[in-house]
């Protein structure tokens, strides 16, 4: 009885969220996978189990290849860009800049904006007109006499998705900065002092003492940015809408479900998005759990 | 933007449900009276038109109250997403807006719509709508919607000043002339043809296809087992490639593309006739340009004598909570009075042949005249000839073509899309 008394209240406290998550996250996730493994290619037919056929046949579609490629470019540019910029900003802050609080707030502000709002503004900034039709950033380049910098931004066929990552970097680098700044502050002064006493230059202190200690922070930032990036939808819809030139899996999923009326295809794409995010998140969770056990 | 609209749509459903519940608890009679009309007419012009029709409806049917369940968003993308989830859950609105033609086929196949033949017979609508229109919206002899308005897809908009500088005397009558004119404009240093985002290129595609193939061959493409692999289609696709090669940098949407023509940066733009309102209306909704001097129009090249139409229509979903109210609304939507109230405000022409011609001025007068005389062809982009899945496949193929310019591959994709979509 006393035993029950020990665990029951706790269980009762968390059970509503367990139930809700079981139904609305894992239940619907399971249902999605189930639909993805049927041949329900319109909204009426009941659909029969076809195993992994949809998962294989989607690779025959040119649009899928393009959207995967776009997603990879976007992810690499966005994650590397946001990490680098965020780290750099944190580094500057850590040097004890005057008015640090003010800067910190300014860099964090973009976080408060939704991707939709960011997208609407950057759509104008990244207008693809050049020469006489230039507006936004291209116009700015023109005023500065830097016309050679004008390009088609997200409409560039090969590197458009890299341009698409710029607003995302703008938005998230402040957040990464906050993470790194906390990390920097967590490195005790004693350690740095010790390294300096051992004859390290300031650069070597960062290279061999601070950076290795930031690894957990970097990893967290990587996971957070990575999963945002793999399922990005709102930013791209706001900047360019449904166009092949900026297609990503989430947009493809939207057209498959609501335009082509093909639930199985939409569910297949959704499954791939979940799996790709899982590739990021699951190892992190395992690593975290192990670390938790060790300590 | 879509996500915002979707969440707004979600809110709307919530409030709509809330309203229904209140009606229920307040007594069955209140719920009986409400007629929920689902549309995506929220912009300037279209919302005014809807309001005018609503006025007539409420005057004629004092027993019913009109409930406006409009969902914002351009061509109805968001509205349709919400609608299909409502229909799947068997909670249809009393009547909803849809593009007349193939776009409704999914709903028809799913058995979500009631045939309106009884209404057509009762109101003798088959006599007042053009026969070809009835043919093109019928599915196995049944009509499922009431067309309220007609828009025209095949319009070539141009800037007379730019044409003059480029040494072009009149709007091109054929696709070959068009291509020659585009070259002249290019030489004169202006953008020959302005385009917007991907869907405007699909719009251009349907016009070049119609202009190159001619009306009968174009219409034949939408029959089951149609031949998309023949040499004429190849020729049309080659034309499309050539025309596209003269296009300027893609703009964000159709308005900035149309604006390039109005501003004299570009010579030509192929867009539906909703562009007229944008060119002509006073500056708070349009560009305030003078028709015939600042901008002018003609049938898009090679399509004179053909009216490529699209139409907004209203339907009767099976299991509509207030069927009588919905039928009363459809009667207003089909009436001469209703259509003449709606269309001058929306900037379209009535589907009926007996409309009051004096209400339609300038472009609309021209359009109305063509509507009663021309052969008809249905639009691809705007849901008349190809069901959604087929249309999406076409649109994907054209989006890919914009990147690789491979005509043979485009044709293959079109053949495959027709095979999958035409069953």
């Amino acid at each position: 009885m006393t035993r029950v008394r020990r665990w029951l209240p706790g269980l009762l406290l968390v059970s509503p969220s367990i139930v809700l998550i079981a139904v609305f996250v894992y239940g619907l996730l399971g249902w999605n996978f189930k639909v993805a493994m049927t041949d329900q290619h319109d909204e009426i037919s009941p659909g029969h189990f076809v195993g992994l056929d949809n998962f294989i046949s989607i690779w025959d579609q040119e649009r899928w290849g393009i959207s995967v490629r776009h997603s990879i470019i976007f992810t690499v540019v966005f994650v590397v860009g946001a990490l680098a910029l965020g780290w750099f900003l944190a580094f500057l802050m850590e040097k004890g800049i005057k008015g640090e609080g003010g800067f910190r707030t300014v860099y964090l502000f973009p976080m408060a904006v939704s991707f939709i709002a960011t997208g609407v503004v950057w759509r104008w900034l990244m207008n693809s007109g050049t020469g006489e039709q230039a507006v936004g950033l291209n116009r700015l380049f023109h005023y500065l006499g830097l016309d050679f910098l004008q390009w088609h931004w997200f409409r560039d066929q090969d590197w458009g998705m890299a341009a698409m990552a710029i607003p995302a970097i703008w938005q998230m680098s402040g957040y990464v900065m906050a993470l790194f700044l906390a990390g920097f502050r967590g490195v005790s002064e004693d350690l740095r002092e010790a390294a300096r006493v051992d004859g390290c230059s300031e650069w070597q202190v960062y290279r061999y003492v601070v950076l290795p200690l930031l690894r957990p922070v970097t990893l967290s930032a990587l996971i957070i940015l990575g999963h945002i990036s793999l399922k990005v939808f709102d930013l791209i819809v706001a900047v360019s809408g449904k166009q092949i030139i900026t297609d990503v899996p989430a947009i493809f999923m939207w057209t498959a479900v609501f335009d082509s009326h093909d639930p199985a295809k939409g569910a297949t794409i959704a499954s791939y998005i979940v799996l790709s995010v899982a590739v990021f998140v699951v190892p992190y969770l395992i690593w975290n759990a192990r670390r938790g056990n060790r300590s | 933007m879509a996500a915002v609209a979707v969440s707004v749509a979600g809110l709307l459903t919530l409030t709509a449900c809330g309203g229904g519940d209140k009606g229920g608890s307040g007594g069955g009679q209140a719920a009986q009276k409400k007629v929920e009309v689902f549309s995506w007419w929220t912009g300037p012009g279209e919302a005014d038109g809807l309001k005018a029709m609503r006025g007539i409806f409420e005057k004629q049917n004092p027993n019913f109250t009109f409930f406006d369940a409009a969902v914002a968003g351009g061509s109805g993308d968001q509205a349709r997403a919400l609608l299909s989830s409502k229909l799947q859950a068997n909670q249809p609105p009393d009547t909803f807006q849809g593009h007349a033609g193939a776009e409704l086929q999914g709903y028809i196949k799913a058995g979500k719509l009631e045939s309106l033949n009884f209404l057509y017979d009762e109101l003798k609508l088959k006599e007042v709508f053009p026969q070809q229109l009835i043919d093109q919206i019928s599915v196995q002899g049944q009509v499922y919607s009431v067309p309220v308005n007609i828009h025209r897809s095949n319009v070539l908009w141009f800037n007379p000043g730019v044409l003059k500088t480029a040494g072009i005397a009149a709007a091109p009558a054929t696709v070959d002339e068009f291509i020659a004119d585009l070259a002249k404009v290019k030489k004169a240093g202006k953008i020959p043809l302005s385009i917007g985002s991907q869907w405007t290129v699909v719009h251009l595609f349907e016009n070049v296809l119609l202009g190159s193939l001619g009306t009968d061959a174009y219409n034949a493409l939408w029959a089951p087992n149609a031949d998309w692999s023949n040499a004429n289609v190849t020729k049309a696709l080659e034309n499309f490639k050539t025309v596209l090669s003269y296009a300027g940098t893609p703009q964000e949407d159709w308005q900035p593309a149309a604006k390039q023509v109005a501003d004299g940066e570009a010579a030509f733009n192929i867009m539906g006739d909703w562009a007229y309102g944008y060119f002509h209306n006073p500056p708070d909704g349009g560009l305030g340009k003078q028709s015939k001097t600042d901008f002018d129009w003609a049938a898009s090249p090679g399509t004179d004598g053909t009216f490529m139409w699209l139409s907004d229509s209203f339907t009767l979903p099976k299991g509509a909570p207030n069927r009588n109210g919905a039928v009363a609304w459809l009667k207003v939507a089909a009436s001469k009075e209703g259509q003449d109230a709606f269309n001058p405000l929306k900037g379209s022409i009535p589907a009926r042949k007996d409309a009051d011609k004096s209400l339609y001025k300038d472009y609309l007068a021209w359009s109305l005249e063509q509507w009663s005389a021309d052969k008809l062809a249905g639009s691809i982009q705007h849901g008349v000839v190809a069901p959604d899945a087929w249309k999406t496949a076409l649109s994907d193929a054209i989006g890919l073509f914009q990147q690789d310019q491979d005509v043979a591959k485009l044709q293959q994709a079109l053949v495959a899309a027709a095979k999958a979509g035409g069953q």
Side-chain angles (χ1 to χ4, degrees), chain B residues 287-417:
Chain B
L287 298 169
K289 297 286 181 183
Q290 199 62 44
S291 111
K292 300 283 175 192
T293 52
D294 297 332
F295 71 96
D296 204 348
W297 66 86
S300 69
T303 69
D304 195 29
T306 302
F307 196 114
M308 177 136 60
W309 64 274
L310 55 125
S311 163
D312 293 304
S313 65
F314 279 99
T315 58
L316 183 59
K318 275 186 188 157
N322 185 355
R323 187 174 179 277
N324 291 338
V327 171
W329 170 255
L330 292 176
K331 282 182 180 167
V332 172
S335 68
K336 179 167 180 285
E337 196 189 0
Q339 300 208 346
D340 276 344
F342 176 78
N343 284 300
L345 293 169
K346 159 88 166 135
S348 48
I349 57 167
R352 294 175 69 107
K353 291 182 291 187
D354 59 352
D356 181 355
K357 289 202 166 60
S358 65
L359 292 169
Y360 302 89
K361 305 250 164 22
D362 203 27
Y363 167 80
L364 291 178
W366 178 81
S367 181
L368 197 59
E369 199 179 297
Q370 306 267 315
W371 173 247
S372 42
D374 282 4
K375 282 189 183 177
L376 301 188
S379 157
I380 300 171
Q381 170 60 27
H382 307 286
V384 179
V385 284
D388 281 350
W390 190 354
K391 182 183 121 187
T392 312
L394 281 172
S395 163
D396 279 1
I398 290 162
L400 294 168
F401 177 74
Q402 260 188 292
Q403 310 205 345
D404 58 25
Q405 315 280 321
D406 184 342
V407 167
K409 210 187 82 192
L410 173 61
Q411 188 160 16
Q412 255 171 23
L414 296 180
V415 170

Side-chain angles (χ1 to χ4, degrees), chain B residues 9-283:
Chain B
L11 279 178
L12 279 173
T13 18
L14 284 182
T15 48
C17 295
D21 288 347
K22 249 180 251 161
S25 59
Q29 229 175 0
Q32 262 306 293
K33 282 177 65 177
K34 197 187 78 176
V35 183
E36 184 182 343
V37 177
F38 186 97
S39 75
W40 56 84
W41 286 329
T42 55
E46 51 192 30
D48 304 325
L50 182 62
K51 213 166 126 191
M53 249 193 322
R54 172 187 182 161
I56 295 173
F57 172 76
E58 284 176 341
K59 209 164 69 193
Q60 289 180 359
N61 302 283
N63 298 331
F64 294 125
T65 50
F66 179 95
F67 181 80
D68 186 2
V71 174
S75 55
D77 274 2
Q78 284 85 39
R80 282 202 295 275
L82 174 64
L83 180 67
S84 72
S85 55
K86 284 184 113 173
L87 289 178
Q88 267 179 352
N90 288 321
Q91 291 172 331
D94 294 312
T95 175
F96 64 85
Q97 176 193 0
H99 286 134
E103 194 178 287
L104 294 172
Q105 265 178 26
Y107 299 137
I108 296 169
K109 271 194 201 158
K112 300 286 184 196
L113 293 182
E114 211 175 301
S115 162
L116 292 175
N117 280 20
F118 74 93
L119 195 70
Y120 275 68
D121 292 341
E122 186 190 328
L123 301 174
K124 303 208 168 19
L125 291 178
K126 292 197 172 162
E127 288 158 30
V128 294
F129 291 143
Q131 184 57 41
Q132 280 192 69
L133 175 69
I134 304 268
D135 291 345
Q136 289 177 6
I137 64 174
S138 294
V139 177
Q140 292 165 348
Q142 305 288 320
V143 192
Y144 290 89
S145 68
V146 174
V148 182
N149 68 348
I150 297 292
H151 273 297
R152 179 174 173 130
S153 156
N154 58 328
V155 189
L156 176 73
W157 304 94
F158 56 91
N159 186 311
V162 176
L163 258 57
K164 213 170 166 191
T165 2
I168 300 164
T174 65
V175 175
D176 290 335
E177 278 179 50
F178 183 45
I179 290 170
D181 287 351
L182 290 171
K184 283 185 201 162
V185 180
K186 193 173 183 186
K187 214 173 261 171
K190 298 281 187 181
I191 300 169
L193 175 71
S194 65
I195 56 170
S197 52
Q198 193 176 311
W199 76 262
T200 69
V201 178
V202 180
H203 188 104
L204 176 67
F205 169 79
E206 69 183 25
N207 276 280
V208 175
L209 193 64
L210 175 67
S212 305
L213 290 178
T215 314
D216 294 335
Y218 174 88
N219 283 338
L221 288 177
W222 310 103
N225 305 319
D227 177 20
W228 280 77
S229 57
N230 64 48
N232 290 336
V233 175
T234 315
K235 181 77 189 55
L237 300 182
E238 293 287 354
N239 283 340
F240 177 57
K241 181 180 175 178
T242 315
V243 168
L244 205 55
S245 71
Y246 286 104
T249 314
Q251 301 296 299
E252 282 159 30
D253 207 344
W254 68 270
Q255 289 99 333
K259 189 164 180 294
Q260 287 185 320
V261 171
D263 292 348
E265 290 172 7
F268 296 106
N269 178 238
I270 290 183
M271 186 36 62
D273 59 6
W274 43 93
Y276 175 77
Y278 180 63
F279 284 127
H280 179 263
N281 288 348

Side-chain angles (χ1 to χ4, degrees), chain A residues 70 73 77 121-131 133-142 146-167 169 239-240 245-246, chain B residues 249-250 252 403:
Chain A
H70 284 165
I73 296 179
V77 175
V121 174
W122 280 85
R123 161 166 133 165
W124 180 79
L125 285 174
M126 299 197 294
N127 189 294
S128 56
T130 54
Q133 280 93 44
V135 286
L137 289 173
N138 280 348
R139 185 101 187 166
L140 182 71
F141 290 149
H142 176 69
L146 300 170
D147 291 73
F148 62 92
L149 279 179
Q150 292 186 351
W151 68 309
H152 291 319
W153 298 101
F154 62 89
R155 285 195 181 281
D156 185 272
Q157 206 158 305
D158 298 316
W159 298 107
M161 285 315 282
M164 193 62 96
I166 295 172
I169 294 173
V239 173
S240 114
I245 191 113
T246 54
Chain B
T249 314
E252 282 159 30
Q403 310 205 345

Side-chain angles (χ1 to χ4, degrees), chain A residues 75-223:
Chain A
T75 303
V76 169
V77 175
F78 166 57
V79 171
V80 171
L83 280 179
L85 189 61
W87 186 88
F88 181 67
L89 291 174
F91 178 73
L92 293 181
M93 294 284 171
E94 210 253 340
K95 288 278 130 195
I97 200 167
K98 234 185 189 176
E100 189 202 313
F103 280 107
R104 217 166 38 200
T105 320
V106 168
Y107 291 142
L108 264 176
F109 264 148
M111 263 280 284
V113 181
S114 77
F115 264 134
I116 291 289
T118 307
V120 170
V121 174
W122 280 85
R123 161 166 133 165
W124 180 79
L125 285 174
M126 299 197 294
N127 189 294
S128 56
T130 54
E132 277 174 39
Q133 280 93 44
V135 286
L137 289 173
N138 280 348
R139 185 101 187 166
L140 182 71
F141 290 149
H142 176 69
Y143 283 144
L144 296 175
L146 300 170
D147 291 73
F148 62 92
L149 279 179
Q150 292 186 351
W151 68 309
H152 291 319
W153 298 101
F154 62 89
R155 285 195 181 281
D156 185 272
Q157 206 158 305
D158 298 316
W159 298 107
M161 285 315 282
M164 193 62 96
I166 295 172
I169 294 173
W170 174 81
Q171 178 147 359
M172 295 307 291
S173 55
Y175 175 65
V176 177
M177 174 207 72
L179 286 178
F180 274 129
L181 200 54
F184 276 131
R185 298 274 146 89
V187 178
S188 85
E189 197 53 34
D190 298 351
L191 282 175
R192 301 184 195 212
E193 222 30 71
R196 282 185 201 122
V197 170
D198 283 347
C200 277
S201 68
E202 197 57 25
W203 161 246
Q204 282 170 322
V205 171
Y206 274 95
R207 173 67 188 80
Y208 294 106
V209 179
V210 180
L211 272 187
L213 285 167
L214 285 182
R215 218 173 275 154
V217 179
T218 315
L219 197 64
S220 310
L222 190 75
I223 305 293

